[in-house]
């Protein structure tokens, strides 16, 4: 079963705009991770944020985590057509097991 | 450093057959996890192996099994295939720590059961 929900399910923007995706989860976690998946291929790890962290940056990516609300957001700034993909959040509570959200399909139009 | 390698990339099998998928993790990684991805159920955890032992198991029937070898390579087996087993099977490699472990995925094996 899925740990949480992602919002929106689909997002379409123009190149250069920012894209924000949200993720909610249900249980206490050790960390939350974001992944990207291009059309039926493998998952690419984007960023990991620990439960004691509130914000993390990596290049054009900014992730926030609010453990009191059990939610996270992924912001992609200055989006490019190559950012078109599905984005998944995944929580880790123990061991290496990841519990994934349903994903957000991002389309960046040139 | 080589990434996670899954073989084969594509498979077509008939109902009732069995199939074996292979995953070679990143060198030095001792944990291998398997996930099933379908349009209806999304990404579902199958099981995790660490140092040749199954450390965690998802909610799948016993037809799904796996193992890990001393070199950390892993295989998963699905017996008595059903149409609903058609999916993308993803393998994830990690160092295997109990917390805060990044997972790196292979390209997946696309299984079609006809």
């Amino acid at each position: 079963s899925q740990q949480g929900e992602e919002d929106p399910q689909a997002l379409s923007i123009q190149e250069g705009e920012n894209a924000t995706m949200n993720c909610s989860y249900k249980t206490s976690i050790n960390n939350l991770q974001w992944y990207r998946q291009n059309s039926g291929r493998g998952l690419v790890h984007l960023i990991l944020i620990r439960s004691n962290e509130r914000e993390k940056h990596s290049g054009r990516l900014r992730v926030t985590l609010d453990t009191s609300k059990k939610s996270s957001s992924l912001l992609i700034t200055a989006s490019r057509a190559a950012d078109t993909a599905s984005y998944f959040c995944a929580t880790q509570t123990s061991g290496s097991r990841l519990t994934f959200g349903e994903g957000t399909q991002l389309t960046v139009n040139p | 450093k080589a990434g996670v390698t899954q073989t084969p990339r594509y498979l077509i099998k008939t109902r009732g057959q069995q199939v074996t998928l292979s995953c070679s993790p990143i060198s030095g990684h001792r944990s291998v996890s398997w996930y099933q991805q379908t349009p209806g159920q999304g990404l579902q955890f199958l099981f995790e192996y660490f140092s040749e032992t199954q450390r965690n198991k998802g909610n799948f029937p016993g037809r799904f099994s796996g193992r890990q070898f001393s070199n950390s390579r892993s295989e998963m087996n699905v017996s008595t295939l059903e149409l609903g087993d058609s999916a993308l099977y993803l393998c994830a490699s990690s160092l295997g720590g109990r917390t805060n472990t990044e997972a790196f995925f292979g390209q997946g094996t696309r299984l079609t059961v006809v």
Side-chain angles (χ1 to χ4, degrees), chain A residues 1-2 30-33 35 37 39-45 47-51 56 88 92-102, chain B residues 9 31 33 35 37 41-45 48 55-59 88 90 94 96-108 110:
Chain A
S1 61
Q2 301 298 313
N30 286 331
N31 66 70
L32 185 144
Q33 304 182 34
Y35 289 84
Q37 184 179 39
S39 191
R41 303 192 66 178
L43 296 164
V44 175
H45 186 272
I47 200 164
L48 180 155
I49 185 165
R50 293 176 171 77
S51 60
K56 206 160 181 180
F88 294 88
Q92 198 170 57
T93 54
S94 65
S96 301
R97 176 176 184 163
L98 293 168
T99 304
F100 285 87
E102 296 171 350
Chain B
R9 290 291 310 277
S31 170
S33 297
Y35 294 83
Q37 185 177 28
Q41 298 298 315
L43 281 151
Q44 301 278 334
F45 172 79
E48 178 203 1
R55 186 161 74 171
N56 210 336
K57 188 177 188 307
N59 189 26
L88 180 66
L90 293 162
S94 68
R98 284 288 182 181
T99 61
N100 301 319
T101 303
E102 295 176 344
F104 298 89
F105 284 79
Q107 290 297 300
R110 173 75 63 185

Coordinates of all heavy atoms in Angstrom, one line a residue, chain A residues 1-2 30-33 35 37 39-45 47-51 56 88 92-102, chain B residues 9 31 33 35 37 41-45 48 55-59 88 90 94 96-108 110:
Chain A
S1 N 0.9 -1.2 0.0 CA 0.0 0.0 0.0 C 0.9 1.2 0.0 O 2.0 1.2 0.4 CB -0.9 0.0 1.2 OG -0.1 0.0 2.4
Q2 N 0.4 2.3 -0.5 CA 1.1 3.5 -0.6 C 1.2 4.2 0.8 O 0.2 4.2 1.5 CB 0.5 4.5 -1.6 CG 0.4 3.9 -3.0 CD 1.8 3.6 -3.6 OE1 2.7 4.4 -3.5 NE2 1.9 2.4 -4.1
N30 N 12.2 8.1 9.1 CA 13.7 8.4 9.3 C 14.1 9.5 8.3 O 14.9 10.4 8.6 CB 14.6 7.2 9.2 CG 14.5 6.3 10.4 OD1 14.2 6.8 11.5 ND2 14.7 5.0 10.2
N31 N 13.6 9.3 7.1 CA 13.9 10.3 6.0 C 12.9 10.2 4.9 O 12.0 9.3 4.9 CB 15.3 10.0 5.5 CG 15.4 8.7 4.7 OD1 14.9 8.5 3.7 ND2 16.2 7.8 5.3
L32 N 12.9 11.2 4.1 CA 12.1 11.2 2.9 C 13.0 11.4 1.7 O 13.9 12.3 1.7 CB 11.0 12.3 3.0 CG 9.9 12.3 1.9 CD1 8.6 12.7 2.5 CD2 10.3 13.3 0.8
Q33 N 12.7 10.7 0.6 CA 13.5 10.8 -0.6 C 12.7 11.2 -1.8 O 11.5 10.7 -1.9 CB 14.3 9.5 -0.8 CG 15.1 9.1 0.4 CD 15.9 7.8 0.2 OE1 16.4 7.6 -0.9 NE2 16.1 7.1 1.3
Y35 N 12.5 10.9 -6.0 CA 13.0 10.3 -7.2 C 12.3 10.8 -8.5 O 11.2 11.2 -8.4 CB 12.8 8.7 -7.1 CG 13.6 8.0 -6.1 CD1 13.2 8.0 -4.8 CD2 14.8 7.4 -6.4 CE1 14.0 7.4 -3.8 CE2 15.6 6.8 -5.5 CZ 15.1 6.8 -4.2 OH 15.9 6.1 -3.2
Q37 N 11.5 9.6 -12.6 CA 11.4 8.4 -13.5 C 11.0 8.9 -14.8 O 9.9 9.6 -15.0 CB 10.4 7.4 -13.0 CG 10.3 6.1 -13.8 CD 9.4 5.1 -13.3 OE1 8.3 5.4 -12.9 NE2 9.8 3.8 -13.4
S39 N 9.6 8.0 -18.3 CA 8.8 7.1 -19.1 C 9.1 5.6 -19.0 O 9.8 5.1 -19.9 CB 8.8 7.5 -20.6 OG 7.8 6.8 -21.3
G40 N 8.7 4.9 -17.9 CA 8.9 3.5 -17.8 C 10.3 3.0 -17.6 O 10.6 1.8 -17.8
R41 N 11.2 3.9 -17.2 CA 12.5 3.5 -17.0 C 12.8 3.5 -15.5 O 11.9 3.5 -14.6 CB 13.5 4.4 -17.7 CG 13.2 4.5 -19.2 CD 14.3 5.3 -19.9 NE 15.5 4.5 -19.9 CZ 16.6 4.9 -20.5 NH1 16.6 6.0 -21.2 NH2 17.7 4.2 -20.5
G42 N 14.1 3.3 -15.1 CA 14.4 3.2 -13.7 C 14.3 4.6 -13.0 O 14.1 5.6 -13.6
L43 N 14.3 4.5 -11.7 CA 14.2 5.7 -10.8 C 15.6 6.3 -10.6 O 16.5 5.6 -10.3 CB 13.6 5.3 -9.5 CG 12.2 4.7 -9.5 CD1 11.8 4.1 -8.2 CD2 11.2 5.9 -9.8
V44 N 15.6 7.6 -10.7 CA 16.8 8.3 -10.4 C 16.7 9.1 -9.1 O 15.7 9.8 -8.9 CB 17.1 9.4 -11.6 CG1 18.3 10.2 -11.2 CG2 17.3 8.6 -12.9
H45 N 17.6 8.8 -8.2 CA 17.6 9.5 -6.9 C 17.9 11.0 -7.0 O 18.9 11.3 -7.6 CB 18.6 8.8 -6.0 CG 18.5 9.3 -4.6 ND1 19.3 10.4 -4.1 CD2 17.8 8.9 -3.5 CE1 19.0 10.6 -2.8 NE2 18.1 9.7 -2.4
I47 N 17.2 13.5 -4.1 CA 17.6 14.1 -2.9 C 17.0 13.3 -1.7 O 15.9 12.8 -1.8 CB 17.1 15.6 -2.8 CG1 17.9 16.4 -1.8 CG2 15.6 15.7 -2.7 CD1 17.8 17.9 -2.1
L48 N 17.7 13.3 -0.6 CA 17.3 12.7 0.7 C 17.3 13.8 1.7 O 18.2 14.5 1.9 CB 18.2 11.6 1.1 CG 17.9 10.8 2.3 CD1 18.5 9.4 2.2 CD2 18.5 11.5 3.6
I49 N 16.2 13.9 2.5 CA 16.1 14.8 3.6 C 15.8 14.0 4.8 O 14.8 13.2 4.9 CB 15.1 15.9 3.3 CG1 15.1 17.0 4.4 CG2 13.7 15.4 3.1 CD1 14.4 18.3 4.1
R50 N 16.6 14.2 5.9 CA 16.4 13.5 7.1 C 15.3 14.1 7.9 O 14.9 15.2 7.8 CB 17.7 13.5 7.9 CG 18.8 12.7 7.3 CD 20.1 12.9 8.1 NE 21.2 12.0 7.6 CZ 21.9 12.1 6.5 NH1 21.7 13.2 5.7 NH2 22.8 11.2 6.2
S51 N 14.7 13.3 8.9 CA 13.6 13.8 9.6 C 13.9 15.0 10.5 O 13.0 15.7 10.9 CB 13.0 12.6 10.5 OG 14.0 12.2 11.4
K56 N 16.4 21.4 2.2 CA 17.6 21.0 1.6 C 17.6 21.4 0.1 O 16.6 21.4 -0.5 CB 17.7 19.4 1.7 CG 19.2 18.9 1.6 CD 19.2 17.5 2.2 CE 20.7 17.0 2.2 NZ 20.8 15.7 2.7
F88 N 8.5 11.0 -7.7 CA 7.9 10.2 -6.6 C 8.6 10.6 -5.3 O 9.8 10.8 -5.3 CB 8.2 8.7 -6.8 CG 7.4 8.2 -8.0 CD1 8.0 8.1 -9.3 CD2 6.2 7.6 -7.8 CE1 7.3 7.6 -10.3 CE2 5.5 7.0 -8.9 CZ 6.1 7.0 -10.1
Q92 N 11.3 6.4 4.3 CA 12.0 5.3 4.9 C 11.9 5.3 6.4 O 12.2 6.4 7.0 CB 13.5 5.5 4.5 CG 14.3 4.2 4.6 CD 15.7 4.4 4.0 OE1 16.5 5.4 4.3 NE2 16.1 3.6 3.0
T93 N 11.4 4.2 6.9 CA 11.1 4.2 8.3 C 12.2 3.3 9.0 O 12.6 3.6 10.1 CB 9.7 3.7 8.7 OG1 9.5 2.4 8.0 CG2 8.7 4.7 8.2
S94 N 12.5 2.2 8.4 CA 13.6 1.3 9.0 C 14.2 0.5 7.9 O 13.5 0.2 6.9 CB 13.0 0.4 10.0 OG 12.1 -0.5 9.5
G95 N 15.4 0.1 8.1 CA 16.1 -0.6 7.0 C 16.1 0.2 5.7 O 16.1 1.4 5.7
S96 N 16.2 -0.5 4.6 CA 16.3 0.1 3.3 C 15.0 0.2 2.6 O 14.9 0.7 1.5 CB 17.3 -0.7 2.4 OG 18.6 -0.7 3.0
R97 N 13.9 -0.3 3.2 CA 12.6 -0.3 2.6 C 12.1 1.1 2.3 O 12.0 1.9 3.2 CB 11.6 -1.1 3.4 CG 10.2 -1.1 2.9 CD 9.3 -2.0 3.7 NE 8.0 -2.1 3.1 CZ 7.1 -3.0 3.5 NH1 7.4 -3.9 4.3 NH2 5.9 -3.0 2.9
L98 N 11.6 1.3 1.1 CA 11.0 2.6 0.7 C 9.5 2.4 0.5 O 9.1 1.4 -0.2 CB 11.7 3.2 -0.5 CG 13.1 3.6 -0.4 CD1 13.7 3.8 -1.8 CD2 13.3 4.8 0.5
T99 N 8.7 3.3 0.9 CA 7.3 3.3 0.6 C 7.0 4.6 -0.2 O 7.2 5.7 0.2 CB 6.5 3.3 1.9 OG1 6.9 2.2 2.8 CG2 5.0 3.3 1.6
F100 N 6.5 4.3 -1.4 CA 6.4 5.4 -2.4 C 5.0 6.0 -2.4 O 4.0 5.3 -2.1 CB 6.6 4.8 -3.8 CG 8.1 4.6 -4.0 CD1 8.7 3.4 -3.7 CD2 8.9 5.5 -4.6 CE1 10.1 3.1 -3.9 CE2 10.2 5.3 -4.9 CZ 10.8 4.1 -4.5
G101 N 5.0 7.3 -2.8 CA 3.7 7.9 -3.1 C 3.3 7.5 -4.5 O 4.0 6.8 -5.2
E102 N 2.2 8.1 -5.0 CA 1.6 7.8 -6.3 C 2.3 8.5 -7.4 O 2.1 8.2 -8.6 CB 0.1 8.0 -6.3 CG -0.6 7.1 -5.3 CD -2.0 7.5 -5.1 OE1 -2.4 8.6 -5.6 OE2 -2.8 6.7 -4.4
Chain B
R9 N 16.2 -6.9 -19.8 CA 15.5 -5.7 -19.8 C 14.0 -6.0 -20.1 O 13.1 -5.3 -19.6 CB 16.0 -4.7 -20.8 CG 17.4 -4.1 -20.5 CD 17.3 -3.2 -19.3 NE 16.2 -2.2 -19.4 CZ 16.4 -1.0 -20.1 NH1 17.5 -0.8 -20.7 NH2 15.4 -0.2 -20.2
S31 N 23.0 -4.3 0.3 CA 21.5 -4.4 0.3 C 21.0 -4.3 -1.1 O 21.3 -3.4 -1.9 CB 20.9 -3.3 1.2 OG 19.5 -3.3 1.0
S33 N 17.1 -4.4 -2.8 CA 15.6 -4.5 -2.7 C 14.9 -4.6 -4.0 O 15.5 -4.1 -5.0 CB 15.1 -3.2 -2.0 OG 15.7 -3.1 -0.7
Y35 N 11.2 -4.1 -6.2 CA 9.9 -3.4 -6.3 C 9.2 -3.8 -7.5 O 9.8 -4.0 -8.6 CB 10.1 -1.9 -6.2 CG 10.7 -1.4 -5.0 CD1 12.1 -1.4 -4.7 CD2 9.9 -0.8 -3.9 CE1 12.7 -0.9 -3.6 CE2 10.5 -0.4 -2.8 CZ 11.8 -0.4 -2.6 OH 12.4 0.0 -1.4
Q37 N 6.3 -2.3 -10.1 CA 5.6 -1.1 -10.5 C 4.5 -1.5 -11.6 O 4.8 -2.0 -12.6 CB 6.5 -0.1 -11.1 CG 5.8 1.3 -11.3 CD 6.8 2.3 -11.8 OE1 7.8 2.1 -12.4 NE2 6.4 3.6 -11.5
Q41 N -1.3 -0.2 -9.1 CA -0.8 -0.3 -7.7 C 0.4 0.6 -7.5 O 0.8 0.7 -6.3 CB -0.5 -1.7 -7.4 CG -1.7 -2.7 -7.4 CD -2.8 -2.3 -6.4 OE1 -2.5 -2.0 -5.3 NE2 -4.0 -2.3 -6.9
G42 N 1.0 1.1 -8.5 CA 2.1 2.0 -8.3 C 3.4 1.1 -7.9 O 3.5 0.0 -8.3
L43 N 4.2 1.7 -7.1 CA 5.5 1.1 -6.7 C 5.3 0.3 -5.4 O 5.0 0.9 -4.4 CB 6.6 2.1 -6.6 CG 7.2 2.6 -7.9 CD1 7.7 4.0 -7.7 CD2 8.4 1.6 -8.2
Q44 N 5.4 -1.0 -5.4 CA 5.2 -1.8 -4.3 C 6.5 -2.6 -3.9 O 7.1 -3.1 -4.8 CB 4.1 -2.8 -4.6 CG 2.8 -2.2 -5.0 CD 1.9 -1.8 -3.8 OE1 2.1 -2.3 -2.7 NE2 1.1 -0.8 -4.0
F45 N 6.8 -2.6 -2.6 CA 8.0 -3.2 -2.1 C 7.8 -4.8 -2.1 O 6.7 -5.2 -1.6 CB 8.3 -2.7 -0.7 CG 9.4 -3.5 0.0 CD1 10.7 -3.2 -0.3 CD2 9.1 -4.4 1.0 CE1 11.7 -3.9 0.4 CE2 10.1 -5.1 1.7 CZ 11.4 -4.8 1.4
E48 N 13.7 -7.3 0.6 CA 15.0 -6.8 0.7 C 16.0 -7.9 1.2 O 15.6 -8.6 2.1 CB 15.1 -5.6 1.7 CG 16.6 -5.1 1.8 CD 16.8 -4.3 3.1 OE1 15.9 -4.2 3.9 OE2 17.9 -3.9 3.3
R55 N 15.8 -9.6 4.8 CA 15.7 -8.7 5.9 C 14.3 -8.1 6.1 O 13.9 -7.7 7.1 CB 16.8 -7.6 5.9 CG 16.8 -6.7 7.1 CD 18.1 -6.0 7.2 NE 18.3 -4.9 6.3 CZ 19.3 -4.0 6.3 NH1 20.2 -4.1 7.2 NH2 19.3 -3.0 5.4
N56 N 13.6 -8.0 5.0 CA 12.3 -7.4 5.0 C 11.5 -8.0 3.9 O 12.0 -8.3 2.8 CB 12.4 -5.9 4.8 CG 11.4 -5.1 5.6 OD1 10.3 -5.6 5.8 ND2 11.7 -3.9 5.9
K57 N 10.2 -8.0 4.0 CA 9.3 -8.6 3.0 C 8.0 -7.8 2.9 O 7.4 -7.5 3.9 CB 9.0 -10.1 3.4 CG 8.3 -10.9 2.3 CD 8.1 -12.3 2.8 CE 7.6 -13.2 1.6 NZ 6.3 -12.7 1.0
G58 N 7.6 -7.6 1.7 CA 6.4 -6.9 1.4 C 5.2 -7.9 1.4 O 5.4 -9.1 1.7
N59 N 4.1 -7.4 1.0 CA 2.8 -8.2 1.1 C 2.5 -8.9 -0.3 O 1.6 -8.5 -1.0 CB 1.7 -7.3 1.5 CG 0.4 -8.1 1.8 OD1 0.5 -9.3 2.1 ND2 -0.7 -7.5 1.7
L88 N 6.7 -3.6 -14.4 CA 8.1 -3.3 -14.4 C 8.7 -3.7 -13.0 O 8.2 -3.2 -12.0 CB 8.3 -1.8 -14.6 CG 9.7 -1.3 -14.7 CD1 10.5 -1.8 -15.9 CD2 9.7 0.3 -14.7
L90 N 11.8 -3.5 -10.5 CA 12.9 -2.6 -10.3 C 13.7 -3.1 -9.1 O 13.2 -3.6 -8.1 CB 12.4 -1.2 -10.0 CG 11.8 -0.5 -11.1 CD1 11.0 0.7 -10.6 CD2 12.8 0.0 -12.1
S94 N 21.7 -0.4 -2.2 CA 22.1 0.5 -1.2 C 23.2 -0.1 -0.3 O 23.4 -1.3 -0.3 CB 20.9 1.0 -0.3 OG 20.5 0.0 0.5
G96 N 23.0 -0.4 2.8 CA 22.4 -1.3 3.7 C 22.3 -0.9 5.2 O 21.9 -1.6 6.0
G97 N 22.6 0.4 5.4 CA 22.4 0.9 6.8 C 21.0 0.9 7.2 O 20.1 0.9 6.4
R98 N 20.8 0.9 8.5 CA 19.4 0.9 9.0 C 18.7 2.2 8.9 O 17.4 2.2 8.9 CB 19.5 0.5 10.5 CG 19.8 -1.0 10.8 CD 18.6 -1.8 10.4 NE 18.8 -3.2 10.6 CZ 17.9 -4.2 10.3 NH1 16.8 -3.9 9.8 NH2 18.2 -5.5 10.6
T99 N 19.4 3.3 8.7 CA 18.7 4.5 8.6 C 19.4 5.4 7.5 O 20.6 5.2 7.2 CB 18.7 5.3 9.9 OG1 20.0 5.6 10.2 CG2 18.0 4.6 11.0
N100 N 18.6 6.3 6.9 CA 19.1 7.3 6.0 C 20.0 6.7 4.9 O 21.2 7.2 4.7 CB 19.9 8.4 6.8 CG 19.0 9.0 7.8 OD1 17.8 9.3 7.5 ND2 19.5 9.2 9.0
T101 N 19.5 5.8 4.2 CA 20.2 5.1 3.2 C 19.7 5.4 1.8 O 18.5 5.1 1.6 CB 20.2 3.6 3.4 OG1 20.7 3.3 4.7 CG2 21.1 2.9 2.3
E102 N 20.5 6.0 1.0 CA 20.0 6.3 -0.4 C 20.0 5.0 -1.2 O 20.9 4.2 -1.1 CB 21.0 7.3 -1.0 CG 21.0 8.7 -0.4 CD 22.0 9.6 -1.0 OE1 22.9 9.1 -1.7 OE2 22.0 10.8 -0.8
A103 N 18.9 4.9 -2.0 CA 18.8 3.7 -2.8 C 19.0 4.1 -4.3 O 18.5 5.2 -4.7 CB 17.4 3.1 -2.6
F104 N 19.7 3.3 -5.0 CA 20.0 3.6 -6.4 C 19.4 2.4 -7.2 O 19.6 1.3 -7.0 CB 21.5 3.6 -6.7 CG 22.1 4.8 -5.9 CD1 22.6 4.6 -4.6 CD2 22.2 6.0 -6.5 CE1 23.1 5.6 -3.9 CE2 22.8 7.1 -5.7 CZ 23.2 6.9 -4.4
F105 N 18.6 2.8 -8.2 CA 17.8 1.8 -9.0 C 18.4 1.5 -10.3 O 19.1 2.3 -11.0 CB 16.4 2.4 -9.2 CG 15.5 2.4 -8.0 CD1 15.6 3.3 -7.0 CD2 14.5 1.4 -7.8 CE1 14.8 3.3 -5.9 CE2 13.7 1.3 -6.7 CZ 13.9 2.3 -5.7
G106 N 18.1 0.3 -10.7 CA 18.4 -0.2 -12.1 C 17.4 0.3 -13.0 O 16.4 0.9 -12.6
Q107 N 17.5 0.0 -14.3 CA 16.6 0.4 -15.4 C 15.3 -0.5 -15.4 O 14.4 -0.1 -16.0 CB 17.3 0.3 -16.7 CG 18.3 1.4 -16.9 CD 17.7 2.8 -16.8 OE1 16.9 3.1 -17.6 NE2 18.2 3.6 -15.9
G108 N 15.4 -1.6 -14.6 CA 14.2 -2.4 -14.5 C 14.1 -3.5 -15.6 O 14.8 -3.5 -16.6
R110 N 11.1 -5.3 -17.7 CA 9.7 -5.2 -18.1 C 9.2 -6.6 -18.4 O 9.6 -7.2 -19.4 CB 9.5 -4.3 -19.3 CG 8.1 -4.3 -19.9 CD 7.2 -3.5 -19.1 NE 7.5 -2.1 -19.1 CZ 6.8 -1.2 -18.3 NH1 5.8 -1.6 -17.6 NH2 7.2 0.1 -18.3

